[in-house]
Amino acid sequence: MKVSYSWLKDYVDVNIDPKKLEELLTMAGVTVSSCEKIGKEYIFEFEITANRADCLSVIGIARETAAILGKKLKVPKELKTPKPKTAYRKPITENLKSKINFNVSIKDPDLCPRYTARVIRDVEVAPSPDWLKERIISVGLRPVNNIVDITNFVLFETGQPMHAFDLDRLKGGVIVRRAKKGENIITIDNTQRLPGEDTLVIADEKEPIAIAGVIGGSATEVNDMTKNILLESANFNPISIRRTSRALGLSSESSYRFERRIDNDMVLKASERASALIKEIAGGKVETLFDVGKKSAYSKRITLDPGRVSSILGISLEKARASKILRSLGFSVKEENARLNVTVPSFREDVKNETDLTEEIARIYGYENVPLTIPRIIGNTKTKDLEDTIEEKIKDILIRLDLNEIITYSLIKRNKINDLGIKDENIVSIKNPLSIDQEIMRPSLLSGMLSSISYNLNRKAKRLSFFEIGKTYEERNGSYAENRILSMGLTGIKSENWKTHKDEFGFFDMKGVFEKLLEELKIEGAVFKKAEAPGLDKNATSIVEYDGEIIGHLGVVSERVSKNADVDKEVFYAELYIERILKKVSLDKRYAAYSRYPAVTRDISIVLDKGLTSGEVVTLIKEAGGKLVKEVSLEDYYKGKHIPLDKNGLLYRIEYRSDERTLEDAEVEKIHSEIKKALSEKLNVSFR
Amino acid sequence: MENEIKNIRQLFKEDLKAASDVKALEDIRVKYLGRKGIVSKLMEKLPSLDKDKKPLIGKELNVLKTFIQGELKSKGEVFISKNNLMEEVDITLPGIAPSVGRLHPITKTLNEINGIFISLGFKIEEGPEIEKEFYNFEALNIPLEHPSRDAFDTFYIKGDILLRSHTSTVQIRIMEKTKPPIQAIMPGRVYRPDAVDASHSFMFHQVEGLMVDHDIKFSDLKGVLNIFTKQMFGEKTKTRFRPSFFPFTEPSAEVDISCIICRGKGCRVCSHTGWLEILGAGMVNPKVFEAVGYRATKYAGFAFGMGVERIAMLKYGIDDIRLFFENDVRFLKQF
């Protein structure tokens, strides 16, 4: 909301630098988002929080200003409390009613607590005087004519929305009611609108003439020909107005204020203020007033204990200071022993209890005057849960293994999970996405990984090694699961420099990272088994089993899935299901004694049938070799030339070592030949 | 054969003595160890020897070979150090560095935030992202169809199930399951249906903080956050508390720090105000205590919440929130 400095000065004697005022108001919670000099005028733009409907008016801002500066608030006589006895407030008599053959009624009091309408005859519609035009322009509106400008002026001055109808264009009296099915109205912005059946409208006896609290109708709009007007000032149900405004996609100065609740006491006062201005500026005779509905306004008594306020804020607040602050904001206060009996004014419906009053005191007292203290710590004996500790550990290991962490969106396009074999009923869908990019919650981290890879490949990146720890989401029979998963992806050039050859990432790099990670987490003895996994090529996919449970999988992303993600390179991908390893990980390091005796190594070069695996060979070597075989490592793997087509050549290095003594050659030789024997008998291996 | 080996050793010694430069050493190497050298020829004979002699001779030959190699090497080093004959290295060639991976800047920022609060005695807690309306709104004193909900536009899934729009949900979950005292921070992902641009994202991260005990004061909140901002942004950082409104705290505050770019003088980043808004905070509204079944008169507490992306953007000078989720390696490698 915009307020000019000179308008503000109409209600409070303020003569400080506008920049200083900007800071003072902001520090009291009436946030000034900008203060601009336009010509000779300063325009403040306010960002009023949802609770402070009273500050959506110049008088509201003036009240705050007065409270901060310790000045008095000056308001026009029609707006004073207690209500002055004015000539305009004559109750209408039955007699008068019949004379003008006109009535005002509320059909739906749940949506309209109070409706006032004032007949003003013989006005002269003309352009507004300059001072009024300036005020209207200063708040960002366009001057229309004196009548409309006055209603807008009073709206900004008091926060009470108003509307003027051309009385002669009304067919019969005014009825405040819900719209009927099929009813429509052309509003003053020349748009045909169809208010829904729950929308509150102002109607004459024939049809709607305004959408209550939001926008008027063009048929009854005040124009140059208008002679007699009906001035509306009313109170509408905030929720109803909010719904209507949302349904129509239309937020007006009026609807914005009704949504935030207006002061029921201001309804009539503002009408009187506007009537007085109309009489003064546009001439005319102020006649009958209709005032239907609830007359009482918000009022609340609260007992305040300044001691409690002090202990909540951490200050020492005197009773007198508390009273003074509250009075300056328009509260009436009676001191009663150590306590204060506070009566909340009608325009502060947001203040309902002692906590609300505490905040009022705090913001005028000044947050900057509250000291800095340190609370007594509570003494948590644990700072992190196991999940967080392990997640942090995994990240630490992976960056050391030269993977870069990525973070991808957990909302994705539905078609990103095509070909991943995920059942529709397990997918968590968003009911109100803004775009198709946010249709579902990801059931897998693969799509995010591929998106990041695709993004980088399109920008000519050659080497990508990524990991992400994130959640996947699924629905199972009406309950929702969030699973913490580690995903890893490698693609492109593994290493390249001027000295050595270029080397590309492959399956075994992914497997190597996986193995190293498990080793660092002390997950020993995990088994890699050939299997299928979603999105991966069945020829190069492995699951990882540990303790009888699958803890992850890895492999090459299948061509279809890659293509779907716009990736034309082989991507090596792995997932570790973090929840499943939580209890298995050991983060303790303990020293283990190692053998002080020398090792003997022997190579063994074999030719193996293609149907058999290296895994089987190593298992057999260890089994046949017994406890002196300390390590079996693959040194070479080859096909072609000297190897028959249906076989592979493998070279293993076996390390023999005892923890107790130096091994004799003969002893090693004996075990080694037993190993060879077993290999040839059980796996049909030949030696080279 | 054994004698022959002895002779060769002697012969080699003499040759070595006579050698005067690196070139001569190379000739000797070829003479003895070359493919047709003296030692290699003996090696070739090995298979034709008697079975019982074979291992012994083989071993001796190996010893000889090692001996020759060792002698040549040490004599060569003498020559090189004397005459500096080693090829000169072009030290301007680029070094070959091992590469290392990087943590995402969000993770780095989160770790830093968490670390500061852990040092102040806070514990890290987490809660679900898929939440019930109750935890996101009602329990936090955000009534249905109230303008205060405008700030919390929300993605819905089904019925009253939604994606949490702030981590304040976790406050409720913790208070529901534990009695005070509580001192915790709650990091996590949150979602809001905002159109994506340089400063808006439909997904981002927040860290929520909560401290509840019998005697927690607003001044404690100021003290704790003052330590946080100074540790996070530097000792010279000034902190300002401005009254604000959040349904779940009262009194509420918006916390600004002096602009870390211009040090408060006013620049583009701080919109020439000298201040940067970085978090929202306040005293827990007694209505929130009531919602979790605490006796509101018995306890007091403070809560705060901050956007991690916002803090990372300020800290690293990142001007577009989308960069965090594009994962361009040229971006990731900078942190």
Side-chain angles (χ1 to χ4, degrees):
Chain A
M1 189 188 61
K2 286 180 178 167
V3 175
S4 71
Y5 199 20
S6 59
W7 196 351
L8 190 63
K9 283 177 178 173
D10 286 352
Y11 313 101
V12 56
D13 280 324
V14 47
N15 232 329
I16 56 171
D17 178 23
K19 285 280 163 194
K20 181 68 194 164
L21 181 61
E22 172 185 4
E23 198 199 318
L24 289 173
L25 284 167
T26 298
M27 292 307 285
V30 185
T31 308
V32 180
S33 55
S34 72
C35 169
E36 263 184 277
K37 193 176 180 192
I38 297 171
K40 272 190 277 174
E41 187 63 277
Y42 284 92
I43 307 285
F44 296 93
E45 171 113 46
F46 290 94
E47 238 177 67
I48 303 299
T49 51
N51 57 329
R52 294 300 305 276
D54 64 301
C55 282
L56 294 171
S57 66
V58 186
I59 287 178
I61 301 288
R63 184 181 296 113
E64 293 288 318
T65 308
I68 295 163
L69 298 174
K71 305 247 178 183
K72 259 189 98 70
L73 180 71
K74 307 176 290 180
V75 295
K77 66 173 191 289
E78 296 86 359
L79 300 176
K80 281 208 171 105
T81 314
K83 300 156 202 157
K85 289 206 162 51
T86 68
Y88 312 129
R89 193 177 297 172
K90 278 187 197 137
I92 82 153
T93 59
E94 284 303 313
N95 183 20
L96 214 69
K97 222 196 268 180
S98 59
K99 193 172 127 198
I100 55 169
N101 188 26
F102 188 88
N103 200 7
V104 172
S105 62
I106 302 172
K107 257 247 180 88
D108 290 304
D110 56 327
L111 302 189
C112 176
R114 185 178 194 180
Y115 194 93
T116 73
R118 162 85 69 185
V119 175
I120 305 176
R121 294 194 190 271
D122 299 328
V123 294
E124 196 174 317
V125 179
S128 296
D130 287 348
W131 71 264
L132 180 54
K133 278 187 186 161
E134 269 167 35
R135 291 284 185 259
I136 294 301
I137 292 167
S138 76
V139 296
L141 295 182
R142 223 163 21 85
V144 180
N145 57 45
N146 48 12
I147 303 296
V148 173
D149 292 351
I150 287 167
T151 59
N152 281 329
F153 176 86
V154 176
L155 181 152
F156 274 90
E157 182 182 54
T158 65
Q160 171 64 49
M162 319 219 110
H163 186 71
F165 297 100
D166 185 330
L167 183 62
D168 300 322
R169 287 153 83 184
L170 254 63
K171 299 162 196 86
V174 169
I175 306 159
V176 186
R177 59 162 168 87
R178 284 180 164 85
K180 291 175 188 158
K181 199 173 179 184
E183 268 183 340
N184 64 58
I185 175 173
I186 296 170
T187 49
I188 56 170
D189 55 355
N190 280 320
T191 309
Q192 175 153 9
R193 298 184 186 270
L194 287 152
E197 279 176 79
D198 226 17
T199 306
L200 189 72
V201 295
I202 313 301
D204 58 14
E205 260 137 47
K206 211 175 147 216
E207 61 193 357
I209 54 171
I211 297 175
V214 182
I215 192 166
S218 70
T220 53
E221 195 182 356
V222 171
N223 61 29
D224 295 353
M225 317 293 287
T226 304
K227 285 239 72 90
N228 305 313
I229 61 171
L230 185 71
L231 181 67
E232 168 199 289
S233 177
N235 188 5
F236 300 116
N237 179 312
I239 292 173
S240 161
I241 298 297
R242 183 173 157 83
R243 281 188 190 154
T244 303
S245 161
R246 293 209 149 189
L248 298 176
L250 181 68
S251 174
S252 63
E253 295 289 351
S254 297
S255 68
Y256 192 80
R257 285 168 178 79
F258 284 123
E259 273 183 46
R260 284 158 178 75
R261 289 185 192 280
I262 55 147
D263 172 7
N264 204 46
D265 192 40
M266 185 56 83
V267 174
L268 188 57
K269 285 196 276 183
S271 173
E272 279 160 7
R273 168 74 171 150
S275 301
L277 285 169
I278 289 170
K279 192 179 175 208
E280 181 190 321
I281 293 166
K285 284 175 281 182
V286 178
E287 292 188 357
T288 320
L289 168 76
F290 299 86
D291 184 355
V292 197
K294 187 180 86 168
K295 312 283 185 292
S296 64
Y298 179 76
S299 170
K300 179 102 189 167
R301 280 191 181 193
I302 303 166
T303 309
L304 181 83
D305 175 358
R308 197 142 63 211
V309 176
S310 294
S311 66
I312 282 180
L313 298 179
I315 58 175
S316 92
L317 178 77
E318 281 156 29
K319 199 170 64 173
R321 179 86 188 271
S323 320
K324 194 177 168 224
I325 291 173
L326 291 173
R327 285 194 183 113
S328 72
L329 290 168
F331 295 81
S332 31
V333 183
K334 265 197 205 133
E335 298 189 14
E336 214 181 80
N337 303 327
R339 309 217 166 173
L340 303 180
N341 271 328
V342 182
T343 307
V344 182
S346 61
F347 52 85
R348 290 304 303 273
E349 202 170 336
D350 60 306
V351 177
K352 297 188 171 76
N353 52 44
E354 197 181 42
T355 315
D356 296 328
L357 289 177
T358 305
E359 181 169 70
E360 291 305 300
I361 291 167
R363 63 188 188 83
I364 302 297
Y365 179 89
Y367 283 9
E368 66 274 24
N369 297 320
V370 173
L372 302 175
T373 56
I374 302 297
R376 184 166 41 92
I377 69 151
I378 272 154
N380 284 314
T381 48
K382 192 175 158 197
T383 57
K384 275 180 211 171
D385 285 334
L386 187 63
E387 286 97 320
D388 295 320
T389 311
I390 288 173
E391 184 174 318
E392 218 168 276
K393 173 86 182 167
I394 291 174
K395 286 181 179 179
D396 183 53
I397 295 165
L398 291 176
I399 60 166
R400 284 188 277 134
L401 296 178
D402 193 17
L403 270 68
N404 295 293
E405 189 190 9
I406 60 172
I407 294 180
T408 67
Y409 292 121
S410 18
L411 299 180
I412 58 171
K413 235 185 227 173
R414 191 178 295 274
N415 72 12
K416 293 237 173 187
I417 53 158
N418 288 352
D419 302 318
L420 294 188
I422 294 156
K423 285 196 199 112
D424 270 354
E425 72 244 37
N426 297 336
I427 293 174
V428 183
S429 300
I430 303 296
K431 212 160 73 178
N432 56 334
L434 282 186
S435 83
I436 57 162
D437 295 331
Q438 309 156 357
E439 280 175 301
I440 58 164
M441 301 209 72
R442 62 183 179 201
S444 155
L445 295 185
L446 177 58
S447 66
M449 176 63 71
L450 290 175
S451 297
S452 298
I453 285 175
S454 159
Y455 182 92
N456 280 287
L457 290 177
N458 287 335
R459 280 155 190 80
K460 304 278 180 277
K462 288 188 187 142
R463 173 183 203 284
L464 299 170
S465 56
F466 287 151
F467 77 91
E468 175 171 25
I469 294 183
K471 284 174 171 178
T472 61
Y473 309 82
E474 60 177 343
E475 184 184 346
R476 287 209 184 275
N477 309 320
S479 65
Y480 296 89
E482 300 176 18
N483 307 308
R484 218 190 286 227
I485 304 285
L486 160 70
S487 74
M488 299 181 274
L490 300 174
T491 191
I493 291 160
K494 181 184 176 189
S495 66
E496 185 181 32
N497 62 56
W498 55 271
K499 212 172 163 217
T500 54
H501 294 292
K502 175 164 118 174
D503 196 4
E504 297 249 335
F505 279 122
F507 176 88
F508 296 100
D509 293 303
M510 190 76 261
K511 188 180 176 192
V513 169
F514 209 116
E515 286 172 327
K516 193 78 197 166
L517 175 63
L518 295 180
E519 183 190 321
E520 292 286 319
L521 295 172
K522 292 261 185 68
I523 295 185
E524 284 161 11
V527 185
F528 290 75
K529 281 191 182 158
K530 195 151 186 293
E532 287 184 27
L536 303 185
D537 190 313
K538 66 177 176 9
N539 286 314
T541 299
S542 168
I543 51 165
V544 185
E545 259 183 30
Y546 182 71
D547 244 6
E549 201 174 16
I550 300 172
I551 59 165
H553 63 260
L554 69 154
V556 183
V557 178
S558 78
E559 214 180 314
R560 265 178 84 145
V561 172
S562 285
K563 274 219 176 105
N564 187 22
D566 191 26
V567 170
D568 58 0
K569 267 186 122 52
E570 254 186 340
V571 174
F572 305 93
Y573 181 77
E575 280 184 14
L576 176 70
Y577 322 140
I578 294 181
E579 267 107 4
R580 297 203 190 160
I581 60 159
L582 287 180
K583 299 230 167 62
K584 297 165 180 171
V585 171
S586 161
L587 297 176
D588 297 336
K589 295 269 182 202
R590 286 195 65 82
Y591 161 74
Y594 44 85
S595 170
R596 305 201 165 262
Y597 299 94
V600 178
T601 58
R602 288 275 192 282
D603 288 355
I604 186 162
S605 179
I606 65 168
V607 177
L608 183 69
D609 290 349
K610 264 195 175 150
L612 297 169
T613 63
S614 173
E616 290 165 283
V617 174
V618 173
T619 310
L620 187 58
I621 290 175
K622 285 181 175 165
E623 201 180 281
K627 68 176 172 48
L628 292 181
V629 171
K630 283 278 136 67
E631 219 173 301
V632 182
S633 56
L634 181 69
E635 297 293 308
D636 202 359
Y637 180 85
Y638 44 94
K639 318 179 179 200
K641 245 190 177 175
H642 307 291
I643 309 290
L645 275 176
D646 58 344
K647 292 180 195 295
N648 293 321
L650 296 97
L651 173 67
Y652 293 95
R653 179 154 297 161
I654 305 174
E655 190 185 299
Y656 298 91
R657 194 199 289 269
S658 158
D659 293 340
E660 288 125 26
R661 62 203 153 81
T662 304
L663 292 178
E664 304 282 334
D665 265 0
E667 189 178 8
V668 170
E669 201 49 56
K670 186 166 168 264
I671 304 171
H672 200 65
S673 47
E674 269 161 26
I675 290 173
K676 284 172 106 171
K677 192 171 154 226
L679 286 173
S680 88
E681 277 172 8
K682 293 190 178 154
L683 294 177
N684 189 30
V685 155
S686 59
F687 301 94
R688 277 166 43 87
Chain B
M1 196 95 170
E2 283 110 314
N3 281 337
E4 209 172 332
I5 291 171
K6 262 183 200 158
N7 287 339
I8 292 170
R9 184 183 278 250
Q10 197 51 44
L11 218 60
F12 167 74
K13 279 184 180 163
E14 281 158 25
D15 281 349
L16 190 69
K17 221 174 187 177
S20 59
D21 57 18
V22 178
K23 169 87 180 55
L25 288 182
E26 177 58 16
D27 291 342
I28 298 172
R29 194 192 65 77
V30 172
K31 180 176 169 187
Y32 290 88
L33 302 179
R35 222 146 43 90
K36 290 183 177 154
I38 298 169
V39 179
S40 312
K41 275 192 177 149
L42 282 183
M43 290 277 196
E44 278 167 19
K45 284 184 191 161
L46 215 51
S48 57
L49 291 179
D50 286 354
K51 228 181 181 175
D52 53 335
K53 274 194 171 174
K54 216 188 318 190
L56 189 69
I57 300 290
K59 202 174 166 190
E60 293 228 351
L61 271 175
N62 269 326
V63 170
L64 176 66
K65 194 172 158 185
T66 316
F67 172 74
I68 293 175
Q69 281 167 340
E71 288 293 299
L72 283 171
K73 193 174 171 227
S74 50
K75 184 115 190 194
E77 275 160 12
V78 171
F79 284 142
I80 286 165
S81 62
K82 257 189 198 158
N83 305 323
N84 195 19
L85 284 181
M86 186 180 167
E87 203 183 333
E88 197 179 333
V89 171
D90 177 358
I91 54 85
T92 67
L93 287 171
I96 297 166
S99 49
V100 289
R102 308 272 175 175
L103 289 178
H104 195 281
I106 294 293
T107 301
K108 291 198 78 152
T109 309
L110 257 173
N111 287 350
E112 211 172 324
I113 296 170
N114 292 350
I116 294 169
F117 285 109
I118 285 174
S119 76
L120 291 170
F122 286 77
K123 176 182 191 291
I124 298 180
E125 296 271 8
E126 275 173 50
E129 294 169 22
I130 300 174
E131 260 296 5
K132 290 207 178 91
E133 223 170 18
F134 172 78
Y135 291 94
N136 204 64
F137 293 126
E138 280 89 331
L140 289 161
N141 189 34
I142 308 173
L144 196 76
E145 305 208 61
H146 189 268
S148 61
R149 265 205 193 184
D150 288 353
F152 305 98
D153 260 356
T154 313
F155 283 118
Y156 275 85
I157 290 170
K158 229 182 237 182
D160 69 335
I161 306 290
L162 47 71
L163 286 186
R164 67 176 176 198
S165 56
H166 47 192
T167 40
S168 308
T169 52
V170 193
Q171 283 186 32
I172 304 298
R173 290 198 167 266
I174 294 176
M175 288 193 278
E176 265 186 352
K177 65 170 196 218
T178 23
K179 284 261 156 257
I182 291 170
Q183 189 183 8
I185 54 164
M186 299 142 257
R189 264 178 204 204
V190 301
Y191 305 85
R192 287 180 196 173
D194 277 339
V196 175
D197 62 27
S199 46
H200 293 89
S201 178
F202 59 86
M203 175 191 105
F204 57 100
H205 297 75
Q206 279 189 336
V207 175
E208 186 85 5
L210 177 70
M211 188 160 185
V212 184
D213 207 340
H214 294 294
D215 52 359
I216 298 295
K217 307 181 286 290
F218 188 69
S219 58
D220 293 335
L221 170 67
K222 281 189 73 178
V224 166
L225 291 182
N226 183 56
I227 293 177
F228 167 71
T229 53
K230 282 190 159 44
Q231 289 202 14
M232 192 74 199
F233 297 102
E235 247 185 293
K236 290 198 176 130
T237 309
K238 280 186 248 151
T239 307
R240 178 174 93 162
F241 287 69
R242 269 187 296 118
S244 188
F245 170 70
F246 305 109
F248 33 93
T249 52
E250 191 167 23
S252 298
E254 204 82 66
V255 182
D256 302 335
I257 54 165
S258 50
C259 179
I260 53 173
I261 311 292
C262 63
R263 292 267 153 237
K265 286 187 205 80
C267 67
R268 198 183 51 80
V269 176
C270 59
S271 317
H272 303 281
T273 61
W275 295 98
L276 296 166
E277 194 177 305
I278 58 149
L279 50 84
M283 300 303 288
V284 178
N285 193 318
K287 286 185 183 148
V288 174
F289 285 151
E290 281 160 24
V292 298
Y294 285 3
R295 283 246 309 275
T297 48
K298 219 172 140 191
Y299 298 111
F302 65 67
F304 56 84
M306 65 189 97
V308 181
E309 279 78 359
R310 163 105 179 130
I311 288 176
M313 287 169 88
L314 291 173
K315 200 159 168 77
Y316 297 117
I318 296 166
D319 56 3
D320 192 328
I321 197 169
R322 289 168 291 201
L323 289 168
F324 290 117
F325 309 111
E326 276 168 358
N327 299 303
D328 193 311
V329 275
R330 293 166 297 182
F331 175 78
L332 299 175
K333 281 288 185 191
Q334 294 184 28
F335 303 98

